[in-house]
Each structure stands twice: as structure tokens, then as C-alpha cells.
Amino acid sequence: MHVVTNYHVVREIGPQDLQVVFLDGGKDDDLPKREVLKGEVVGTDPFTDTAVIRVFSSGKRLVPMHPLPLGESAALEVGQSVYAIGNPFGLDHSMSKGIISGKSRTLDIGERPIQGCIQTDASINPGNSGGPLLDAAGRVIGVNTAILTASGTSAGVGLAIPGFVSRGFLGITFAPDGISDALQIPGIIVFSVVSNSPAEKAGVRPMLNGTIGDVITTLDEKPVRAGADIFKLLDKRVPGDVVALEVRRARRSEDGAAVVEDIRFNITLSSSPRRK
């Protein structure tokens, strides 16, 4: 059996320390049954803060395990009821009720923004991360991930990650958007290129010794001005897709004159490399 949770929940847990707790509420006067099983992280995607845990079980189990049915996050409507399951403040197997208060939100908590998040007013507190967000039929529509708060407390807006991860990987790290703005460069500066990535194989040039290399101007013929524009377009792509990347490159001609040329690359995306 496998369990989906947040990457930040398991990121700092040692391989020998990961445990998954199951609880059966029992019926009538039966006492709740509790079972602790060993787990192993078998997949992670830090960019969407998701992780997959394999649960080891041998022999007869004290608590029966039943996978939750999956819902359709794309069909959600603002105002419909949802339920957040988790362990807020260490209170095991708690549930809070709310509604969907927004869709297609962007969560900016890491190296790249997470697109398409579900906004809910159901209470999501420390300890809720990694738990399921359910619709009224008990189907999983997302993974509870974060709370946006201006006060630093648990009062704020809850966000959950929907869907699944199958993202195309380009292999480019962008310079901060502020640098392009300060230099009045219309586009996204390529800061570095991952070794053996699709971008490197295509010939995309990064900054070198402080000298600006390629500047991305369009992706699939759509203008891009910030890193978030690239991420939003790539989130709709899967490994094996071919994208058209257009860059502006400055160079010196043989007589020393400055030359600017537009170059178009057709790049086949790969899978994101696994990160520990």
C-alpha cells in the first residue's frame, strides 16, 4: 500500500524512523484499534511539495486498510463542502469542515510556485499537512499543504494541492525577475543550465563569469516576462512533450560589433530528476 503526503512532512525524517499510524474507530462499544507500521519514501517532488510512502505490512493487520476513492479536482465549484483530515497540534485523526472558497490559486513557498491550488476555509493548522482534503462524498480532491496568514498564527487561508505530478523538465534555473527589471531586459535571464538536461543538450547558454547568456522571450510562442510564466506553461506539459523555446542571444561579430539574434529551440522535455 502507498500513501500520498507532503514532501515537507517527510523531508527530515530518517529512513529508519518513518512510521505510519493507522486507527480504526471501532463500532458500538469497541475500543479503537491502533497500528503502527514502517514506511519508506519511494517518490518525492519538492516542486509540488508531494511525496509517496510505501507502507510495509506482514501477517494479519489489526486495522483494515481501504484506499480512499479519488474525486475530480477539475470539477470543483466554489461554495461546495469539503473536509480536511489530519493531526492538528498533535490531535490524532481530526476532521474540520469548510467550503471551497477559491480555485486555481498559486502557492509560492519554494523554488517555484505551485499552480492550481484549492483554497478552503476548512481549518488547516500545523499537523494537517499531508492529510487529505475530501469532498462531501468522501473522495480525495487534494492534499492539505499550507495556510496563508498575515499574523503568523493559524488564522488564515488554507490551501491544498490537487491532481497528480507528471511534469516535463526543462533543466533551467532562472535569474531573479528583479535583475531583468533592473537591467530593462524584456525576458527571463538564464542563470544556469542543469548538466545533461534537455536545455543543455539543445544548446541553451547560461550566465558565465557575470556575462548574461540567453534571455528567454517566448515558450510555445507565448511571451514570458517572469519565471512564474514559464512554470505555469510547463505545469501543463508532461515528459516527452516538445516545447518551442525562443531566446535572445547577444554576441560579438568577427569585427567586434555587438550582434543580437533570436534563436528558436525545439526541446523534448524529460522527467524531473528525483531529489533527496
Side-chain angles (χ1 to χ4, degrees):
M1 173 173 283
H2 294 80
V3 175
V4 177
T5 187
N6 285 137
Y7 172 69
H8 77 262
V9 171
V10 300
R11 178 177 53 206
E12 298 180 0
I13 300 178
Q16 304 301 319
D17 300 325
L18 182 58
Q19 296 180 326
V20 183
V21 180
F22 293 87
L23 182 69
D24 183 0
K27 297 180 180 179
D28 301 328
D29 296 330
D30 293 344
L31 294 176
K33 298 183 179 67
R34 181 184 177 93
E35 186 171 14
V36 181
L37 299 176
K38 177 178 173 53
E40 175 191 16
V41 176
V42 293
T44 64
D45 184 60
F47 293 130
T48 55
D49 195 23
T50 52
V52 178
I53 299 171
R54 179 186 176 190
V55 180
F56 294 93
S57 177
S58 59
K60 185 178 180 179
R61 294 190 294 267
L62 296 176
V63 178
M65 302 180 193
H66 305 288
L68 291 170
L70 300 179
E72 289 287 341
S73 57
L76 300 177
E77 297 291 342
V78 173
Q80 74 178 75
S81 296
V82 290
Y83 302 83
I85 307 293
N87 303 327
F89 305 108
L91 301 174
D92 290 354
H93 299 83
S94 298
M95 179 176 70
S96 59
K97 179 183 178 181
I99 63 169
I100 293 176
S101 47
K103 301 189 299 180
S104 300
R105 302 306 192 199
T106 299
L107 177 59
D108 195 356
I109 57 174
E111 296 180 25
R112 62 182 289 173
I114 302 174
Q115 309 285 347
C117 292
I118 303 167
Q119 177 185 331
T120 178
D121 67 351
S123 296
I124 296 179
N125 297 297
N128 275 111
S129 292
L133 185 69
L134 310 175
D135 63 13
R139 297 170 298 195
V140 179
I141 55 174
V143 179
N144 303 320
T145 299
I147 183 168
L148 301 182
T149 172
S151 64
T153 66
S154 296
V157 175
L159 294 176
I161 299 171
F164 65 96
V165 178
S166 181
R167 182 193 307 108
F169 177 67
L170 192 58
I172 294 174
T173 300
F174 312 124
D177 297 332
I179 295 180
S180 298
D181 295 338
L183 297 176
Q184 297 184 334
I185 295 177
I188 303 169
I189 298 173
V190 178
F191 180 74
S192 64
V193 176
V194 177
S195 177
N196 203 37
S197 67
E200 184 189 59
K201 294 176 181 177
V204 177
R205 293 182 183 176
M207 294 181 65
L208 182 63
N209 298 326
T211 300
I212 294 176
D214 290 341
V215 177
I216 301 173
T217 55
T218 71
L219 181 66
D220 286 337
E221 300 183 355
K222 295 180 175 61
V224 291
R225 293 297 303 268
D229 297 335
I230 292 280
F231 295 139
K232 188 173 183 178
L233 293 171
L234 287 180
D235 281 343
K236 300 176 183 178
R237 295 294 198 158
V238 297
D241 283 354
V242 178
V243 296
L245 185 76
E246 189 166 315
V247 304
R248 184 156 294 169
R249 179 179 294 175
R251 62 179 180 83
R252 293 286 180 181
S253 64
E254 293 182 359
D255 60 2
V259 177
V260 177
E261 56 185 349
D262 292 322
I263 304 174
R264 180 187 176 101
F265 299 103
N266 291 319
I267 303 177
T268 301
L269 302 176
S270 67
S271 299
S272 300
R274 181 176 177 181
R275 297 173 57 181
K276 300 293 185 179

